[in-house]
Amino acid sequence: MSIGTPKQPPTNTTSASAEVADRNPVDRGVKRWQLRFPKALRTPLGFIGAIILSIWLIVAVFAPLLAPFNPLAQDFPRLSAPGGENLLGTDTLGRDVLSRLIVAARTTLPAAVFVVICSAVLGSVLGAIAGYFGRAVDEIIMRIADLVFAFPTIILAMVIAAALGPGLKNAIIAILLVSWPSYARVTRSLVMSARNSEYVVAGRLLGFSAGKSLIREISPNVLSPVVVLATLDVGSAILTMAGLSFLSLGVVPPTPDWGAMISEGVSQFAAWWIAFFPGLCILTIVMAFNFIGDSLRDSLDPHTAQEVGETTS
Amino acid sequence: MTTTTTTEDSPRASKDPLLELDNVSCEYKLNGGGRFRAVSNVSLQLGHSEVLGLVGESGCGKSTLAKLICGLEKTAGGTITFESHPVKPLGLGRRPKNLLGVQMVFQNPYASLNPRRRIRDQLTDALTLDPKHNWTVESLLEAVDLPVDAAQRFSHSFSGGQRQRIAIARALAAGPKVLVGDEPIASLDAFLQARIARMMRDLAIDSGASMIFISHDLSVVRDIADRVAVMEAGNIVEVGSTEQIWNDPQHPYTKKLLAAIPKVDGKGIIPG
Amino acid sequence: MSMISINDLNLSVTTGKVEKHILRNVSFDLEAGEITGVAGASGSGKTQTGLAIMGLSPAGAQLSGSIDFDGTELVGMPAKVHNRLRGVQLSMVFQDPASAFHPMLTIGDQMTDHYRHHTKASKKDAIERAVHILERTHVPHPDEAIGKYPHQFSGGQLQRIAFASAIICEPNVLIADEPTTALDVTVQAGILRLLRELCDDLNLAVLLVTHDFGVLSSVADTIVVMKNGLVVETGDREPVITAPKHEYTRSLIESLPGAEVSR
Amino acid sequence: MSVSTTDSSTAHPPSSDEAQRIKPPLLPPLLRYILIRIGISLILIWGVTVVTFLMTNLVPTDPVAAILGDRAAADPEIVAATRERLGLDQPLIVQYFTYLSNLLQGDMGVSNQTRTPVLQSIGQVFPASIELGIGAILISVIIGLLLGLASALKQNTILDHAIRALSLIGISAPTFWIAAVGYYVFFFKLRVVPGAGRLDPWITPPPRVTGLYTVDSLLAGQMSTFINAFGHLILPSCVLALFTIGLLTRFSRSSVLDIIRLDYVTAARAKGLPARTVVFKYIFRGALVPIITVVGLAFGSLLSGAVLTETVFAWNGLGQYAFRGATTLDLPVIMGVGLVIGIVYIIVNFIVDLIYGFVDPRVRVR
């Protein structure tokens, strides 16, 4: 065989060698990890999460078709209860709650995914640089991260959003600024431990520069945990965004937004539906991301992949 | 075995050492503050086509010494020269070309291969370094007794012994002049240890390289080394030919170490 | 009569739909005052045999066959009953002394908690006894050692403390799972001497699990060789090592540097 | 940079002949540890002041306009005078030092809306939030740890799956919504909890000592006031705790699972100790160290939650103050609250680090 032969899928255990089959638990983790990553959603929670998320995706994509009424039109009697023409009732200005809920998915979902992708990329690039190059770069990046961690998330987001002024764009900037450090921390520690692992050192001894070993050897091994973190983080981004809207620092009225709708409904106890349904929307969608993220995390965790009886002997 | 009877410096080694450590020291920062002198004033020479066994117990500084030789650790004094090039600590850039002749095989077989890359790719990385093109991926795998189809696989489908052989193959592929084995057999079953150690020696010597073989197990080192250096608490306490160390140890620590090895004779005698 | 008599012991673990046989028809005896060494490569089932005697087989494991302990059947014994035997009559020492102790509890606490539980002794009496036992296992300054934490000891000393903790309730059986593998050679000899001494003085039935024939050659009285969950050879120390009957045993011993196998 | 770690294991003390290889540290380990923690906390607090200062000064909208209102802002002379009065004509660095020295003298500025000094208002409302926070943290630590422990010990059973699903739902719900729903159900519909506020309106607050109504009423011997204050505390702290219960349950489950497979647990079982001793003395104690750290972080989520929920309960605390500030874009108020919460959070985490240092003998003794 020459180096140029087309690559075949990795064959498992049936080798010609008579040596005892592999029993290293960590190694098991890696193996199952590669096999199971796409299958990770086959756990009950992951499955439920995937279904809820797909429903929400459909709702967001087809919102204009699904929404029964114009979400901005104040066409109906104010504060009419659910049932009848307005399935989920109307708000204080006589707008259809259901239509507003459906249309709001179109802002929340893409904004949350967008902010998470941005902060994951920004955070993990900074973290990888800090972790691999160390010293001054590391100090500067991680001290800034520490400073962000010195505030509870929503508090700092509130401070930033207030300084920038209300609005979806500014809310996204605020959330981006507060959420990149967790990726930086995770990536940094992953890169640092990978940097010292023997296969990376062996590569360095073969003459790889730091940058080449970071890209070629380390990054594939760091990617999956970051993806898991990002999945879980979409949920918290949605929550933070809703929190900012609740504080009137997010999406500006009259654009429909779940957090702002709750804020509006909180003072209207007789009209419970105004606040109840948007909360339910937030809950289900955040739950979906958390369920999926949790299942992904489980499938990466060497502990859960470890089988009973593999650890001994 | 090619051993010379003179102690300290074999004539080959002193004439034109391939690798020379002169008064080398190394210190670590301790976690709670303070410093730990892991290696202190070590001088050693390695000749051409020679296997030097470096023996000592845990914490004696032998692994640190291996890292120093590869430029993976900073010296706190002294010089290391390989083929008259000074060994400098590895920074962010590529390792200097003239130092690529020093390669290492690590202790933990489960960490020494990249789990996300095929064996072929990892061997090819090393092959490109060797100007002489002595090896191909296939001939390397053959040399370490692995089936040729191993090249297409990922590390997880191999046992510890197999992985260690792949790691040896990768180090060899680079065409090293000095192969450093940092406890390469310590994580393996006792029954595999001697086999892998002998394989390392044969492959290194056959390819014209020298080897520094680090181990806590004197009986394995006796089997494969031409000379042995005994290390205790950061110092080299005795260097000599394998015969001399084994049959006529001078330093009390060497004697203690030898006396502690249990003999596989079925006599029921507890050593020491 | 044997202290422990293992007959046709089978152990399998089912994960998902795959049933994995870890032990197959394992039979051998442990005699009081003797060290029985179990040798084998990793994955041979030698550790699982020891854990089965202790009743610490992994969750989901199915055990069949018989382990007769001085007239009591251990296979199928209710967990609570087995727990009353552990630490009192059956005790165990582990491979890595650094991880076998809780890092946040003092040595004295960890040596005496089971003793106090099993014998209802007072704290003061228990500590006194612990000091006495530490002396017995040659731990320097036992009265100071009682108040220290595990990280303040070297590996060899911790293993001596582990032995002390194992014999504090005067057990009949001691399972030693690779007790010297994590230690340096020079420390190993001392631990082996201690093991021999305790076995002889306390008339313990010792099961010594190891992959090191050097260790077996030094202290074992009888040797059991295992491969893939099967016992391939059983016999007295010297004949097994110098004239192994089974090809596998021979290959294991021949693979060692410095072994002298007669042909 | 050297590529490899300094993996000199410090697990075991060196033997006598190795002692000379060690240069001992200058300070005893625990003192060194504490000093480092104090240093880090002080630096962080300083950093927090920089952040709030920069946020105040990076505002795209002119702060002068915000203060003066539209009409006065149209007059350039008044604007210039105000700028000078506020020191806004100074370089940024000078402004920062003015800001810092004001802060050190307890001046956090004046609310744009109410014209009351921010620090004074925060001082008034702070105890209310502390009371709520303590209630919530107690509930979440107790319930979270127990659920996590149960879930881990019964791994992969129905109980485990149920607890995991519930804890995931717990961290998925927006706290302010849970607050509204809880208030609606338990007060508006069921009437099992008292209504909004810290006390029923007809009850006079106890004489102020700590500012915590439950504590102060007990100090004053007013049992009925205490019961009333306590009743008012129940729902808000439970709502607030919900998120942190989920957080702590998940974290303690995974720490216990990490510990459960360690050798020392098997060793403890091999000693024939009763299950309850193995669980509480060995497993739980081992898991506690990482859990303590997370309790500090959980406190941060509680503070965030408070800002979002207090309004719903008309709980006159920091959260409600911040909410009012945020909805009216009252910048000095928002920055003041951010600053205070940041500092409190740093102090809490400092205390957590200290506890950690004392709990773990590996930090304490060498």
mmCIF file of all heavy atoms in Angstrom, chain A residues 236-271:
data_model
loop_
_atom_site.group_PDB
_atom_site.id
_atom_site.type_symbol
_atom_site.label_atom_id
_atom_site.label_comp_id
_atom_site.label_asym_id
_atom_site.label_seq_id
_atom_site.Cartn_x
_atom_site.Cartn_y
_atom_site.Cartn_z
ATOM 1 N N SER A 236 -29.216 29.952 27.719
ATOM 2 C CA SER A 236 -28.993 31.073 28.631
ATOM 3 C C SER A 236 -29.015 32.402 27.887
ATOM 4 O O SER A 236 -29.419 33.407 28.464
ATOM 5 C CB SER A 236 -27.702 30.919 29.443
ATOM 6 O OG SER A 236 -26.779 30.148 28.783
ATOM 7 N N ALA A 237 -28.607 32.381 26.609
ATOM 8 C CA ALA A 237 -28.689 33.632 25.843
ATOM 9 C C ALA A 237 -30.146 34.081 25.710
ATOM 10 O O ALA A 237 -30.458 35.269 25.851
ATOM 11 C CB ALA A 237 -28.063 33.451 24.465
ATOM 12 N N ILE A 238 -31.034 33.110 25.461
ATOM 13 C CA ILE A 238 -32.456 33.465 25.344
ATOM 14 C C ILE A 238 -32.964 34.023 26.670
ATOM 15 O O ILE A 238 -33.683 35.029 26.715
ATOM 16 C CB ILE A 238 -33.281 32.236 24.915
ATOM 17 C CG1 ILE A 238 -32.891 31.839 23.489
ATOM 18 C CG2 ILE A 238 -34.777 32.513 24.999
ATOM 19 C CD1 ILE A 238 -33.516 30.549 23.006
ATOM 20 N N LEU A 239 -32.548 33.375 27.768
ATOM 21 C CA LEU A 239 -32.982 33.849 29.085
ATOM 22 C C LEU A 239 -32.461 35.263 29.358
ATOM 23 O O LEU A 239 -33.189 36.119 29.855
ATOM 24 C CB LEU A 239 -32.493 32.903 30.183
ATOM 25 C CG LEU A 239 -33.261 31.597 30.343
ATOM 26 C CD1 LEU A 239 -32.660 30.767 31.468
ATOM 27 C CD2 LEU A 239 -34.734 31.860 30.630
ATOM 28 N N THR A 240 -31.185 35.494 29.060
ATOM 29 C CA THR A 240 -30.619 36.820 29.305
ATOM 30 C C THR A 240 -31.332 37.868 28.444
ATOM 31 O O THR A 240 -31.663 38.965 28.919
ATOM 32 C CB THR A 240 -29.119 36.846 28.980
ATOM 33 O OG1 THR A 240 -28.506 35.726 29.613
ATOM 34 C CG2 THR A 240 -28.461 38.106 29.473
ATOM 35 N N MET A 241 -31.585 37.488 27.200
ATOM 36 C CA MET A 241 -32.253 38.428 26.308
ATOM 37 C C MET A 241 -33.652 38.762 26.834
ATOM 38 O O MET A 241 -34.068 39.927 26.836
ATOM 39 C CB MET A 241 -32.344 37.823 24.916
ATOM 40 C CG MET A 241 -32.175 38.865 23.860
ATOM 41 S SD MET A 241 -31.971 38.284 22.189
ATOM 42 C CE MET A 241 -31.392 36.707 22.237
ATOM 43 N N ALA A 242 -34.345 37.714 27.282
ATOM 44 C CA ALA A 242 -35.673 37.939 27.849
ATOM 45 C C ALA A 242 -35.578 38.828 29.078
ATOM 46 O O ALA A 242 -36.407 39.733 29.277
ATOM 47 C CB ALA A 242 -36.317 36.607 28.209
ATOM 48 N N GLY A 243 -34.541 38.601 29.883
ATOM 49 C CA GLY A 243 -34.347 39.417 31.083
ATOM 50 C C GLY A 243 -34.143 40.874 30.724
ATOM 51 O O GLY A 243 -34.731 41.767 31.338
ATOM 52 N N LEU A 244 -33.327 41.116 29.700
ATOM 53 C CA LEU A 244 -33.093 42.503 29.286
ATOM 54 C C LEU A 244 -34.380 43.141 28.786
ATOM 55 O O LEU A 244 -34.679 44.296 29.096
ATOM 56 C CB LEU A 244 -32.008 42.561 28.208
ATOM 57 C CG LEU A 244 -30.579 42.293 28.686
ATOM 58 C CD1 LEU A 244 -29.600 42.346 27.529
ATOM 59 C CD2 LEU A 244 -30.171 43.282 29.776
ATOM 60 N N SER A 245 -35.164 42.379 28.008
ATOM 61 C CA SER A 245 -36.439 42.926 27.527
ATOM 62 C C SER A 245 -37.361 43.223 28.694
ATOM 63 O O SER A 245 -38.082 44.215 28.698
ATOM 64 C CB SER A 245 -37.132 41.939 26.595
ATOM 65 O OG SER A 245 -36.299 41.622 25.533
ATOM 66 N N PHE A 246 -37.320 42.320 29.677
ATOM 67 C CA PHE A 246 -38.146 42.510 30.866
ATOM 68 C C PHE A 246 -37.780 43.827 31.551
ATOM 69 O O PHE A 246 -38.621 44.526 32.087
ATOM 70 C CB PHE A 246 -37.945 41.316 31.805
ATOM 71 C CG PHE A 246 -38.788 41.355 33.044
ATOM 72 C CD1 PHE A 246 -40.142 41.057 32.987
ATOM 73 C CD2 PHE A 246 -38.231 41.671 34.276
ATOM 74 C CE1 PHE A 246 -40.926 41.076 34.127
ATOM 75 C CE2 PHE A 246 -39.018 41.701 35.417
ATOM 76 C CZ PHE A 246 -40.358 41.405 35.343
ATOM 77 N N LEU A 247 -36.476 44.149 31.519
ATOM 78 C CA LEU A 247 -36.008 45.407 32.125
ATOM 79 C C LEU A 247 -36.146 46.580 31.158
ATOM 80 O O LEU A 247 -35.588 47.647 31.395
ATOM 81 C CB LEU A 247 -34.536 45.277 32.517
ATOM 82 C CG LEU A 247 -34.200 44.317 33.646
ATOM 83 C CD1 LEU A 247 -32.697 44.149 33.772
ATOM 84 C CD2 LEU A 247 -34.782 44.806 34.960
ATOM 85 N N SER A 248 -36.849 46.371 30.046
ATOM 86 C CA SER A 248 -37.034 47.381 28.988
ATOM 87 C C SER A 248 -35.712 47.777 28.348
ATOM 88 O O SER A 248 -35.557 48.897 27.874
ATOM 89 C CB SER A 248 -37.706 48.658 29.513
ATOM 90 O OG SER A 248 -38.765 48.335 30.352
ATOM 91 N N LEU A 249 -34.723 46.889 28.393
ATOM 92 C CA LEU A 249 -33.437 47.209 27.784
ATOM 93 C C LEU A 249 -33.213 46.403 26.513
ATOM 94 O O LEU A 249 -32.152 46.443 25.922
ATOM 95 C CB LEU A 249 -32.290 46.939 28.777
ATOM 96 C CG LEU A 249 -32.275 47.840 30.009
ATOM 97 C CD1 LEU A 249 -31.224 47.368 31.007
ATOM 98 C CD2 LEU A 249 -31.988 49.280 29.609
ATOM 99 N N GLY A 250 -34.214 45.606 26.128
ATOM 100 C CA GLY A 250 -34.045 44.778 24.945
ATOM 101 C C GLY A 250 -34.788 45.349 23.757
ATOM 102 O O GLY A 250 -34.702 46.555 23.491
ATOM 103 N N VAL A 251 -35.512 44.461 23.080
ATOM 104 C CA VAL A 251 -36.268 44.839 21.899
ATOM 105 C C VAL A 251 -37.216 46.008 22.214
ATOM 106 O O VAL A 251 -37.900 46.002 23.230
ATOM 107 C CB VAL A 251 -37.069 43.633 21.391
ATOM 108 C CG1 VAL A 251 -37.971 44.019 20.237
ATOM 109 C CG2 VAL A 251 -36.116 42.516 20.979
ATOM 110 N N VAL A 252 -37.198 46.976 21.352
ATOM 111 C CA VAL A 252 -38.001 48.177 21.600
ATOM 112 C C VAL A 252 -39.430 47.964 21.096
ATOM 113 O O VAL A 252 -39.627 47.440 20.009
ATOM 114 C CB VAL A 252 -37.378 49.387 20.868
ATOM 115 C CG1 VAL A 252 -38.088 50.664 21.269
ATOM 116 C CG2 VAL A 252 -35.894 49.480 21.177
ATOM 117 N N PRO A 253 -40.432 48.346 21.892
ATOM 118 C CA PRO A 253 -41.810 48.229 21.448
ATOM 119 C C PRO A 253 -42.007 49.078 20.182
ATOM 120 O O PRO A 253 -41.283 50.069 20.002
ATOM 121 C CB PRO A 253 -42.621 48.810 22.603
ATOM 122 C CG PRO A 253 -41.658 49.010 23.722
ATOM 123 C CD PRO A 253 -40.289 48.934 23.186
ATOM 124 N N PRO A 254 -42.925 48.737 19.325
ATOM 125 C CA PRO A 254 -43.964 47.709 19.500
ATOM 126 C C PRO A 254 -43.575 46.329 18.985
ATOM 127 O O PRO A 254 -44.417 45.448 18.961
ATOM 128 C CB PRO A 254 -45.114 48.269 18.660
ATOM 129 C CG PRO A 254 -44.412 48.958 17.531
ATOM 130 C CD PRO A 254 -43.122 49.491 18.085
ATOM 131 N N THR A 255 -42.297 46.150 18.555
ATOM 132 C CA THR A 255 -41.886 44.841 18.057
ATOM 133 C C THR A 255 -42.205 43.776 19.106
ATOM 134 O O THR A 255 -41.871 43.947 20.272
ATOM 135 C CB THR A 255 -40.359 44.828 17.800
ATOM 136 O OG1 THR A 255 -40.024 46.001 17.081
ATOM 137 C CG2 THR A 255 -39.953 43.597 17.029
ATOM 138 N N PRO A 256 -42.882 42.700 18.692
ATOM 139 C CA PRO A 256 -43.253 41.703 19.692
ATOM 140 C C PRO A 256 -42.030 41.003 20.279
ATOM 141 O O PRO A 256 -41.092 40.675 19.547
ATOM 142 C CB PRO A 256 -44.114 40.708 18.909
ATOM 143 C CG PRO A 256 -44.038 41.078 17.490
ATOM 144 C CD PRO A 256 -43.336 42.372 17.337
ATOM 145 N N ASP A 257 -42.015 40.825 21.572
ATOM 146 C CA ASP A 257 -40.913 40.137 22.234
ATOM 147 C C ASP A 257 -41.434 39.484 23.507
ATOM 148 O O ASP A 257 -42.200 40.080 24.254
ATOM 149 C CB ASP A 257 -39.805 41.135 22.587
ATOM 150 C CG ASP A 257 -38.650 40.454 23.259
ATOM 151 O OD1 ASP A 257 -37.767 39.955 22.551
ATOM 152 O OD2 ASP A 257 -38.647 40.384 24.510
ATOM 153 N N TRP A 258 -41.003 38.234 23.737
ATOM 154 C CA TRP A 258 -41.538 37.475 24.869
ATOM 155 C C TRP A 258 -41.269 38.135 26.215
ATOM 156 O O TRP A 258 -42.157 38.271 27.050
ATOM 157 C CB TRP A 258 -40.962 36.055 24.859
ATOM 158 C CG TRP A 258 -41.375 35.268 23.649
ATOM 159 C CD1 TRP A 258 -42.505 35.427 22.926
ATOM 160 C CD2 TRP A 258 -40.654 34.204 23.025
ATOM 161 N NE1 TRP A 258 -42.547 34.534 21.893
ATOM 162 C CE2 TRP A 258 -41.426 33.764 21.935
ATOM 163 C CE3 TRP A 258 -39.433 33.568 23.279
ATOM 164 C CZ2 TRP A 258 -41.018 32.720 21.105
ATOM 165 C CZ3 TRP A 258 -39.033 32.534 22.459
ATOM 166 C CH2 TRP A 258 -39.812 32.112 21.375
ATOM 167 N N GLY A 259 -39.985 38.552 26.410
ATOM 168 C CA GLY A 259 -39.637 39.156 27.697
ATOM 169 C C GLY A 259 -40.449 40.405 27.957
ATOM 170 O O GLY A 259 -40.967 40.619 29.059
ATOM 171 N N ALA A 260 -40.568 41.236 26.913
ATOM 172 C CA ALA A 260 -41.322 42.484 27.069
ATOM 173 C C ALA A 260 -42.798 42.195 27.327
ATOM 174 O O ALA A 260 -43.463 42.901 28.089
ATOM 175 C CB ALA A 260 -41.157 43.335 25.810
ATOM 176 N N MET A 261 -43.323 41.123 26.688
ATOM 177 C CA MET A 261 -44.730 40.767 26.909
ATOM 178 C C MET A 261 -44.962 40.359 28.358
ATOM 179 O O MET A 261 -45.977 40.721 28.962
ATOM 180 C CB MET A 261 -45.144 39.634 25.961
ATOM 181 C CG MET A 261 -45.264 40.088 24.502
ATOM 182 S SD MET A 261 -45.421 38.709 23.365
ATOM 183 C CE MET A 261 -47.153 38.317 23.541
ATOM 184 N N ILE A 262 -44.008 39.607 28.927
ATOM 185 C CA ILE A 262 -44.150 39.221 30.338
ATOM 186 C C ILE A 262 -44.133 40.483 31.195
ATOM 187 O O ILE A 262 -44.953 40.658 32.102
ATOM 188 C CB ILE A 262 -43.022 38.265 30.769
ATOM 189 C CG1 ILE A 262 -43.090 36.976 29.964
ATOM 190 C CG2 ILE A 262 -43.133 37.957 32.267
ATOM 191 C CD1 ILE A 262 -41.968 36.014 30.250
ATOM 192 N N SER A 263 -43.184 41.361 30.894
ATOM 193 C CA SER A 263 -43.054 42.601 31.647
ATOM 194 C C SER A 263 -44.377 43.355 31.649
ATOM 195 O O SER A 263 -44.831 43.867 32.663
ATOM 196 C CB SER A 263 -41.956 43.451 31.010
ATOM 197 O OG SER A 263 -41.666 44.552 31.806
ATOM 198 N N GLU A 264 -45.019 43.371 30.476
ATOM 199 C CA GLU A 264 -46.291 44.075 30.332
ATOM 200 C C GLU A 264 -47.383 43.367 31.141
ATOM 201 O O GLU A 264 -48.225 44.004 31.771
ATOM 202 C CB GLU A 264 -46.657 44.103 28.843
ATOM 203 C CG GLU A 264 -47.931 44.815 28.517
ATOM 204 C CD GLU A 264 -48.432 44.453 27.113
ATOM 205 O OE1 GLU A 264 -47.591 44.095 26.260
ATOM 206 O OE2 GLU A 264 -49.650 44.504 26.912
ATOM 207 N N GLY A 265 -47.332 42.015 31.137
ATOM 208 C CA GLY A 265 -48.419 41.262 31.749
ATOM 209 C C GLY A 265 -48.311 41.105 33.251
ATOM 210 O O GLY A 265 -49.301 40.787 33.917
ATOM 211 N N VAL A 266 -47.087 41.328 33.785
ATOM 212 C CA VAL A 266 -46.875 41.094 35.208
ATOM 213 C C VAL A 266 -47.823 41.922 36.074
ATOM 214 O O VAL A 266 -48.300 41.470 37.106
ATOM 215 C CB VAL A 266 -45.389 41.369 35.561
ATOM 216 C CG1 VAL A 266 -45.242 41.778 37.002
ATOM 217 C CG2 VAL A 266 -44.557 40.141 35.285
ATOM 218 N N SER A 267 -48.106 43.127 35.603
ATOM 219 C CA SER A 267 -48.959 43.982 36.428
ATOM 220 C C SER A 267 -50.450 43.712 36.188
ATOM 221 O O SER A 267 -51.306 44.304 36.812
ATOM 222 C CB SER A 267 -48.625 45.450 36.135
ATOM 223 O OG SER A 267 -48.593 45.629 34.729
ATOM 224 N N GLN A 268 -50.726 42.825 35.236
ATOM 225 C CA GLN A 268 -52.128 42.571 34.863
ATOM 226 C C GLN A 268 -52.569 41.196 35.366
ATOM 227 O O GLN A 268 -52.640 40.247 34.591
ATOM 228 C CB GLN A 268 -52.281 42.601 33.337
ATOM 229 C CG GLN A 268 -51.764 43.851 32.692
ATOM 230 C CD GLN A 268 -52.733 45.002 32.847
ATOM 231 O OE1 GLN A 268 -53.922 44.799 33.095
ATOM 232 N NE2 GLN A 268 -52.237 46.222 32.748
ATOM 233 N N PHE A 269 -52.825 41.079 36.661
ATOM 234 C CA PHE A 269 -53.097 39.743 37.160
ATOM 235 C C PHE A 269 -54.413 39.187 36.676
ATOM 236 O O PHE A 269 -54.572 37.983 36.513
ATOM 237 C CB PHE A 269 -53.034 39.709 38.683
ATOM 238 C CG PHE A 269 -51.650 39.450 39.121
ATOM 239 C CD1 PHE A 269 -50.875 40.456 39.645
ATOM 240 C CD2 PHE A 269 -51.095 38.187 38.940
ATOM 241 C CE1 PHE A 269 -49.579 40.206 39.999
ATOM 242 C CE2 PHE A 269 -49.798 37.948 39.286
ATOM 243 C CZ PHE A 269 -49.037 38.958 39.821
ATOM 244 N N ALA A 270 -55.356 40.070 36.416
ATOM 245 C CA ALA A 270 -56.635 39.562 35.928
ATOM 246 C C ALA A 270 -56.452 38.972 34.538
ATOM 247 O O ALA A 270 -57.111 38.007 34.174
ATOM 248 C CB ALA A 270 -57.651 40.689 35.903
ATOM 249 N N ALA A 271 -55.535 39.557 33.752
ATOM 250 C CA ALA A 271 -55.291 39.054 32.402
ATOM 251 C C ALA A 271 -54.020 38.218 32.403
ATOM 252 O O ALA A 271 -52.999 38.597 31.849
ATOM 253 C CB ALA A 271 -55.178 40.222 31.425
#
